[in-house]
Amino acid sequence: MDTPDDLFRRLEQLNDIGASLSNERNLALLLEKILLAAKAITRADGGTLYLLSEDRQHLHFEIVRTDSLNIAFGGSSGQPTSGKFSDLPLYKVDGLPNTSLVAGHAALTGHTVNIADAYMAEGFDFSGTRQFDERTGYRSQSFLTVPMRNHEGEIIGVLQLINALCPASGKVVEFSPADQRLAESLASQAAIALTNRLLVQQLEALFESFITMINLAIDEKSPYTGGHCQRVPELTMMLADAVDAADSGPLTNFRLTDKDRYELRIAALMHDCGKITTPVHVVDKATKLQTIYDRIHLVDTRFEVIKRDAEVRKWRHIAEGMAAAEAEATCLAFCRQCDADRAFLRQANIGGEHMSDDDIERVRRIASSYRWQDESGADAPFLSDNELENLTVRSGTLTSAERETINYHIVATIKMLEQLPWPQHLKNVPEYAGGHHERMDGKGYPKGLKREQMSWQARMIGVSDIFEALTARDRPYKDGMKLSQALNILENFRNNGHIDPDLYEIFVSSEVYRKYAANYMGAQQIDC
């Protein structure tokens, strides 16, 4: 029997346990803490924590411990309970409550069951317990089974303790009334902590589902950016892992807690959410003349029209007295030049990494060399000003105006994210997500921030955003770069003040790029 001092110490222990449970974010570790605390406070040799299934038809083994047999499943043990223990049915085949199982009885009735000796107990089926004892040589004797209720009074689980040990002799004794009261008090605190953790997890899952829904909307608008929205977070967290593991250099003391990692992951997931406002024909612009359709076909038609006109001129010249051979040769030369210029424009329309000055001048020359009659019969320039502007784009397929439209997505991202009432542990998401197009030298956008004005996390997303874009295989205007080429460009970005040099060093030295390549790049791209 407890002395007043013993009881006081156990009450103090109960208070400490309650505070500890409220601080645990990991659900599996929380469940483990609950069971270990219950065992400690009641001096039990073993115990099991069950959770009620979502359909409320079964009890699932979550944590199992028996100290004297060195048995540990679930939690931090590394041994999962799934496949080792079958769920306990709360109802029989005929639908009647299965109160023969002591854990089921506690879950169904909401009453604590305190049994001095399982082998002598009446009204309960301990056949499974006897079989366990026969296999292991154990003797299951005293049982204390306590239901766990949430704040709404609903049963969410069962805490079962086995074989209370006498602190003086070490022998198995029954659980005392004090043990029962302490276990019930702990079960109540534990149920609240567990419910809170489950509610937080559900809210986080709901929140992440909204993010996934936004990315899905972007994906449905454009398959070229949807993959990007999923890959950048993966690469960002790979880089974060490498930074967190750094044991030398400027980032030696930089460490990310679980909360920090979650905040960074959410920011990476939402870094391009503003693209939902970007017009589809700009996001998906696969060629320079593409809008809703590729206008290169209009240029093809014009070439056919002026070649037809050349054929008409040939016969007119012959009718006016020009030698047929001369007229034929002139027409043929003109048509051949048209075919050559047409092929050149079709190639220029594809876009690429760089268009030379000579090629740009040839496009301008073609535009000024030909005239044609439009659908109204009026004389018109062969290429409109807009077509000429698009066909002379040096890199990629976007004009300056279209690039500004694309770039506006980061402004939209910041505006969208700053409208949300972020909780304290996610308050930096807008800054992290909104800074990935800034540069270390202050020449980025939209705010022109310099390196010292940016967080490490924003710089991590920036590096990841660039590398993913270089190596992506699903862009409409280019194939994914080979790994060596992407690394060379990333090195140049390091040298010219585009990306953070310290993060670049970790990205390369820790071979983050290789881990990413193995998961997201094609075999033909991996050349180093």
Side-chain angles (χ1 to χ4, degrees), residues 37-313:
K39 283 174 69 281
I41 207 168
T42 59
R43 308 184 185 106
D45 179 53
T48 301
L49 192 150
Y50 307 89
L51 285 186
L52 199 62
S53 62
E54 288 189 10
D55 62 6
R56 308 187 69 81
Q57 298 294 307
H58 299 84
L59 285 175
H60 178 70
F61 287 81
E62 294 289 343
I63 310 291
V64 178
R65 295 288 188 274
T66 304
D67 294 343
S68 60
L69 294 179
N70 197 28
I71 290 176
F73 291 94
S76 62
S77 68
Q79 299 292 326
T81 58
S82 299
K84 188 70 176 179
F85 302 95
S86 300
D87 290 352
L88 302 182
L90 293 180
Y91 298 93
K92 301 176 182 178
V93 178
D94 58 9
L96 294 176
N98 185 13
T99 56
S100 62
L101 300 176
V102 65
H105 179 91
L108 290 167
T109 65
H111 296 145
T112 297
V113 181
N114 191 341
I115 296 174
D117 190 338
Y119 285 18
M120 305 296 292
E122 296 181 358
F124 295 109
D125 179 6
F126 280 102
S127 58
T129 300
R130 289 176 177 271
Q131 291 173 7
F132 173 82
D133 289 352
E134 289 174 3
R135 291 196 309 270
T136 61
Y138 194 66
R139 172 64 164 90
S140 301
Q141 187 171 323
S142 55
F143 276 72
L144 180 60
T145 308
V146 183
M148 299 171 63
R149 297 178 185 272
N150 64 14
H151 62 288
E152 295 178 343
E154 297 176 337
I155 303 296
I156 61 171
V158 171
L159 184 61
Q160 187 172 76
L161 302 166
I162 303 173
N163 285 1
L165 300 176
C166 174
S169 66
K171 293 182 178 180
V172 176
V173 295
E174 65 180 298
F175 289 95
S176 68
D179 290 333
Q180 181 172 330
R181 288 193 296 271
L182 288 170
E184 288 173 339
S185 178
L186 174 59
S188 177
Q189 293 184 53
I192 293 172
L194 178 58
T195 300
N196 288 341
R197 185 67 248 158
L198 289 171
L199 285 173
V200 169
Q201 281 195 343
Q202 289 167 1
L203 288 173
E204 288 176 347
L206 178 62
F207 176 57
E208 290 188 37
S209 295
F210 275 115
I211 297 174
T212 302
M213 183 177 66
I214 292 171
N215 285 341
L216 179 61
I218 297 172
D219 195 9
E220 290 297 314
K221 282 183 65 176
S222 169
Y224 310 119
T225 57
H228 175 79
C229 291
Q230 301 304 317
R231 291 189 292 267
V232 168
E234 297 300 321
L235 181 53
T236 298
M237 299 317 293
M238 291 179 190
L239 179 55
D241 288 340
V243 170
D244 200 55
D247 56 7
S248 63
L251 287 156
T252 303
N253 297 321
F254 181 82
R255 292 293 178 265
L256 293 170
T257 65
D258 288 342
K259 288 184 179 181
D260 294 333
R261 291 176 59 80
Y262 182 72
E263 185 177 37
L264 176 58
R265 180 170 173 272
I266 293 299
L269 279 168
M270 301 196 75
H271 82 285
D272 268 352
C273 64
K275 281 185 177 175
I276 200 168
T277 67
T278 308
V280 177
H281 71 273
V282 177
V283 176
D284 283 5
K285 194 179 182 190
T287 63
K288 295 180 180 181
L289 290 179
Q290 182 174 331
T291 52
I292 301 302
Y293 62 94
D294 193 345
R295 292 175 292 164
I296 193 65
H297 303 302
L298 297 180
V299 176
D300 289 340
T301 301
R302 291 173 206 159
F303 273 114
E304 292 303 316
V305 169
I306 62 175
K307 285 166 68 177
R308 179 205 62 192
D309 291 346
E311 188 76 15
V312 172
R313 284 197 302 274

Side-chain angles (χ1 to χ4, degrees), residues 463-519:
V463 172
S464 302
D465 184 72
I466 290 171
F467 190 78
E468 190 286 330
L470 293 174
T471 57
R473 294 180 288 169
D474 54 9
R475 298 300 167 95
Y477 50 84
K478 70 177 186 67
D479 295 327
M481 285 185 184
K482 291 188 180 298
L483 190 54
S484 60
Q485 184 182 4
L487 289 172
N488 286 337
I489 291 176
L490 209 62
E491 183 179 11
N492 290 335
F493 281 4
R494 185 274 308 270
N495 296 337
N496 66 20
H498 196 131
I499 62 173
D500 187 89
D502 296 328
L503 289 178
Y504 167 81
E505 292 301 327
I506 290 181
F507 187 87
V508 174
S509 63
S510 298
E511 297 191 337
V512 175
Y513 64 88
R514 198 174 297 283
K515 182 179 179 182
Y516 176 79
N519 288 284

Side-chain angles (χ1 to χ4, degrees), residues 295-500:
R295 292 175 292 164
I296 193 65
H297 303 302
L298 297 180
V299 176
D300 289 340
T301 301
R302 291 173 206 159
F303 273 114
E304 292 303 316
V305 169
I306 62 175
K307 285 166 68 177
R308 179 205 62 192
D309 291 346
E311 188 76 15
V312 172
R313 284 197 302 274
K314 178 186 75 172
W315 291 111
R316 182 182 297 122
H317 289 157
I318 292 173
E320 292 173 351
M322 180 183 286
E326 180 183 357
E328 181 67 31
T330 300
C331 179
L332 183 59
F334 179 83
C335 289
R336 284 175 176 170
Q337 185 61 48
C338 284
D339 289 340
D341 289 340
R342 174 184 174 181
F344 172 77
L345 290 184
R346 291 184 70 86
Q347 183 62 37
N349 184 47
I350 295 173
E353 294 303 323
H354 182 72
M355 190 176 189
S356 68
D357 290 340
D358 288 343
D359 286 344
I360 290 176
E361 182 57 35
R362 184 174 176 183
V363 173
R364 298 187 188 281
R365 189 167 60 249
I366 292 172
S368 61
S369 298
Y370 302 106
R371 304 286 294 183
W372 76 299
Q373 288 186 329
D374 62 21
E375 62 277 5
S376 64
D379 185 66
F382 190 72
L383 295 176
S384 69
D385 291 342
N386 179 267
E387 290 167 342
L388 181 58
E389 178 189 10
N390 276 271
L391 286 170
T392 53
V393 168
R394 284 190 179 274
S395 297
T397 62
L398 299 176
T399 65
S400 297
E402 289 167 338
R403 194 164 295 281
E404 287 183 10
T405 300
I406 285 285
N407 290 349
Y408 179 77
H409 81 273
I410 193 62
V411 177
T413 293
I414 294 172
K415 285 183 176 180
M416 291 167 65
L417 295 182
E418 287 182 344
Q419 295 299 309
L420 297 177
W422 296 99
Q424 184 65 24
H425 68 289
L426 295 175
K427 64 183 176 64
N428 294 310
V429 166
E431 188 261 319
Y432 296 167
H436 69 278
H437 282 301
E438 303 290 351
R439 291 173 47 128
M440 303 304 100
D441 56 11
K443 297 178 182 179
Y445 62 92
K447 298 180 180 180
L449 300 177
K450 291 188 176 181
R451 183 190 187 200
E452 59 272 14
Q453 297 174 289
M454 300 172 60
S455 63
W456 285 109
Q457 287 89 333
R459 288 179 252 173
M460 288 182 202
I461 297 177
V463 172
S464 302
D465 184 72
I466 290 171
F467 190 78
E468 190 286 330
L470 293 174
T471 57
R473 294 180 288 169
D474 54 9
R475 298 300 167 95
Y477 50 84
K478 70 177 186 67
D479 295 327
M481 285 185 184
K482 291 188 180 298
L483 190 54
S484 60
Q485 184 182 4
L487 289 172
N488 286 337
I489 291 176
L490 209 62
E491 183 179 11
N492 290 335
F493 281 4
R494 185 274 308 270
N495 296 337
N496 66 20
H498 196 131
I499 62 173
D500 187 89

